Structures are given as structure tokens and as C-alpha cells.
Amino acid sequence: MSTNKIKHIGVFTSGGDSPGMNATLYAIAKTAEANGIKISGFRKGYEGLIDGDLITLKSHELKKITQKGGTILKTARSKRFMELEGRKKALQTLKANNIDALIAIGGDGTFKGLLAFSEICDIPFIGIPGTIDNDISGTDYTLGFDSAVNTAIENIDKIKDTAESHNRVFIVEVMGRDSGYIAIHSGLMVGADAILIPESGKDFIYLLDKIKNYDSEDAFLVVVSEGDELGAELVSSKIKEVNPNVDLRITKLGHVQRGGNPSALDRMLGIRLGVAAVNAISQGKKNAMVGILNNQLHLTPFKEVDKQHQVNTELYELLELFGK
């Protein structure tokens, strides 16, 4: 499709919500309006795309909610879109509303959905990485990751206060799915005694070595990623086996990490990626995700996005240094 025919862009948020999505929507609408392009938002992700549940987005209205967490468009995971019939209905929605291009804010599952959709739909698709897990290749940081880490730090600091008062061992489980990024960043910044992530097998050995002789006036803090192969409960039982005298508690931060106001970094990231997504469409790009690599905007084809963002060597070295 010729780029000078782009008159109407649809946008939706899909999968898990993440702080900064509303700021991204504002940037998309602002950039589109500056280029004479209409923006419509589909509610509830792919479900809204199938059902034709859409609203017109205006930048002056979105500007008022850039500080809010969550997503004004709502979000959902759609089993119907996984089926060809669901994608055909979504295509009918796009045609009925004269939509020339589509922007999706979500994770790797969202982009896989767009890749499957591209087999029957030839309009430009551009993705924006929105997930607190920071588990997507093609970008150094995903939208919402920094906010989630800040939320984790704020809560773990409070837990550490009460742990110090009682000389307790506290296991704090953070989110991240199969990625240890939230655990590493939050654990290092709160001075955790052990950090357990899915990507490492040595971290648990370090923990047992440190905890078996623990008898201190200080608290002992363990940060565990939810995707770690052991999990908070099993870690607790193993600690009790090697040191049955410890006073131990488990706290799971859960979905509190996905809520709250986005950080300054996530607001700026959302604005940069929102502008970049519209510009990419205007330049004739398609089936790719906009991201930030080395603080520079970067486009990654959807076919390469499913490769997980790996924990780099420097972070492994920090994990070992502070974990021993």
C-alpha cells in the first residue's frame, strides 16, 4: 500500500497491561494528528478487533491521562484470534472501518498474532513492546519494566524494615514470567542477600551456602523471580532443611507491580516509541517492532522478536558478586 494513502490507523493494547501504555497512546495520537491521520483505538485487544469495539482517540484527551497506569483501551488475551475464523472477522472489521494500518502495544504473543494476521491481511502492522517482564529481543527495555522495578523496590524496602525488626528471613517473589530482569534489578538495588532467577542454576547454591549458618541480628532477604524453577515455597522448604531455626516469611508482590503511575523513564519511552511507530508506518515499514537499542530507535522484524531478551554477561557477573 502506498504510504500517501494512510488516512486511518487502528491501535490496541494486548496481553498484560504495563505502566506507560496511556502515554504511548497519547504519543501515537499526537503524531497521527500532526500528519493528518485519524486514530481509532480497539478496546480489549484482539477481542475488540474481532468485535469491532473501537473508539476515536484524541490527543488532547489522552494528554490528561499520561500519568495513569493501566490502559484506557483495556486489554485481554484472545483465544478466538488464534483461530483463522477469528482473524477473518478481524479483517472484516478493518475493511468496514477503512483502517489502513495497525499498531499493537504488547508482548511477544501479541506480535506472533500480528505475524499470523499478516498471512491474510496486507496492511502495515507495527508493534510496540509493552510488558513489565523485559523479555523481548530487539529493545533494551520494554514499556513498564522500569515502573515495575521501582514498585518492587518500594515494597521490598518496607518489607526489609520489618524483617530487620524481627531478625527474619524474608523471601519476596517478584513477577517477570520466564525472565529474571525484575528480580535482578530490584534485588541488587535493595541489597538482597540472594537473588534467584530462571536463567541461573548457581544462584540457589550460593543461597544455601549463606543461609546454612545464618544466625544474625540482621535480616536475610531473598528475592525470587516467579519464573525460577524452584519458586518461593520450595525455596522456603529447602532453607528450613538446611537451617530449621530461621524465622521465615514469604511475600508475593504479584500484580501490584503492574499498576501505579509510570516512571519518568517509561513515560519517555512510551512517547518515543509511539512517535516512532507512526513514523515507521508513514515510511512504508511493516511487520516489525519499534524498540530502543543503545538509546537509538530500532526496528526488529516480528520473526525475530520471539527470541527472548537474554540476561547479559555483566548482569550475571553482578549476580555472582553480590550473591556469594
Side-chain angles (χ1 to χ4, degrees):
M1 176 178 292
S2 176
T3 57
N4 60 11
K5 293 184 179 179
I6 300 292
K7 300 297 182 183
H8 191 182
I9 297 176
V11 59
F12 64 95
T13 52
S14 177
D17 60 297
S18 60
M21 284 183 167
N22 288 322
T24 310
L25 294 173
Y26 165 59
I28 291 171
K30 185 72 173 178
T31 310
E33 289 169 3
N35 288 276
I37 300 171
K38 180 181 178 181
I39 284 286
S40 292
F42 288 96
R43 300 176 74 254
K44 302 178 183 178
Y46 283 118
E47 289 291 288
L49 201 58
I50 293 171
D51 296 332
D53 185 358
L54 76 164
I55 59 175
T56 299
L57 298 180
K58 300 292 185 181
S59 65
H60 70 275
E61 296 173 350
L62 292 167
K63 181 172 65 173
K64 302 173 185 178
I65 60 165
T66 57
Q67 81 283 4
K68 292 185 178 295
T71 166
I72 191 176
L73 290 180
K74 307 292 185 181
T75 186
R77 293 178 171 85
S78 175
K79 291 183 178 180
R80 289 191 294 164
F81 194 80
M82 295 179 183
E83 303 296 330
L84 179 59
E85 188 60 33
R87 296 195 290 274
K88 286 182 177 179
K89 288 182 179 179
L91 178 57
Q92 291 173 2
T93 296
L94 296 182
K95 290 180 176 179
N97 290 279
N98 297 314
I99 290 177
D100 306 313
L102 202 58
I103 296 174
I105 309 171
D108 60 328
T110 300
F111 305 144
K112 288 176 181 176
L114 286 180
L115 197 57
F117 198 20
S118 69
E119 295 176 359
I120 63 169
C121 182
D122 63 353
I123 71 171
F125 297 151
I126 293 293
I128 294 176
T131 168
I132 68 169
D133 301 331
N134 204 40
D135 60 352
I136 296 177
S137 61
T139 188
D140 290 331
Y141 297 105
T142 56
L143 195 65
F145 168 69
D146 185 68
S147 301
V149 170
N150 285 327
T151 298
I153 291 170
E154 179 183 357
N155 283 277
I156 296 172
D157 281 343
K158 294 175 181 178
I159 290 170
K160 195 171 181 180
D161 288 343
T162 186
E164 290 283 2
S165 299
H166 293 272
N167 301 335
R168 279 177 176 152
V169 173
F170 254 95
I171 299 173
V172 181
E173 184 179 281
V174 297
M175 296 181 83
R177 202 169 56 172
D178 298 322
S179 169
Y181 269 98
I182 293 178
I184 292 177
H185 282 250
S186 61
L188 287 173
M189 286 186 273
V190 300
D193 297 280
I195 303 169
L196 306 184
I197 62 171
E199 297 91 339
S200 174
K202 296 180 181 179
D203 47 19
F204 185 61
I205 297 173
Y206 298 150
L207 166 61
L208 293 184
D209 285 343
K210 293 175 74 171
I211 199 71
K212 63 184 178 183
N213 296 316
Y214 169 75
D215 182 16
S216 172
E217 289 291 312
D218 297 324
F220 192 101
L221 181 63
V222 183
V223 175
V224 183
S225 174
E226 65 177 348
D228 188 79
E229 66 275 13
L230 295 171
E233 286 78 9
L234 187 54
V235 170
S236 172
S237 66
K238 294 294 184 181
I239 288 175
K240 280 290 190 179
E241 286 179 13
V242 299
N243 191 341
N245 297 318
V246 297
D247 185 5
L248 189 148
R249 299 289 188 277
I250 296 175
T251 298
K252 296 184 178 183
L253 296 185
H255 285 71
V256 68
Q257 296 158 91
R258 293 226 303 240
N261 297 342
S263 66
L265 191 154
D266 276 327
R267 295 184 202 194
M268 189 62 189
L269 181 62
I271 287 188
R272 292 182 71 186
L273 295 181
V275 172
V278 177
N279 287 341
I281 288 172
S282 298
Q283 294 163 11
K285 308 297 183 182
K286 62 187 297 185
N287 294 341
M289 181 197 79
V290 292
I292 300 288
L293 290 176
N294 298 319
N295 204 31
Q296 299 295 315
L297 292 167
H298 184 80
L299 273 175
T300 301
F302 287 147
K303 290 181 179 180
E304 298 178 17
V305 171
D306 61 349
K307 300 174 183 177
Q308 184 168 326
H309 185 192
Q310 298 296 320
V311 173
N312 62 36
T313 302
E314 180 195 358
L315 286 179
Y316 273 124
E317 291 174 351
L318 290 174
L319 192 65
E320 291 202 17
L321 174 64
F322 288 91
K324 290 182 179 180

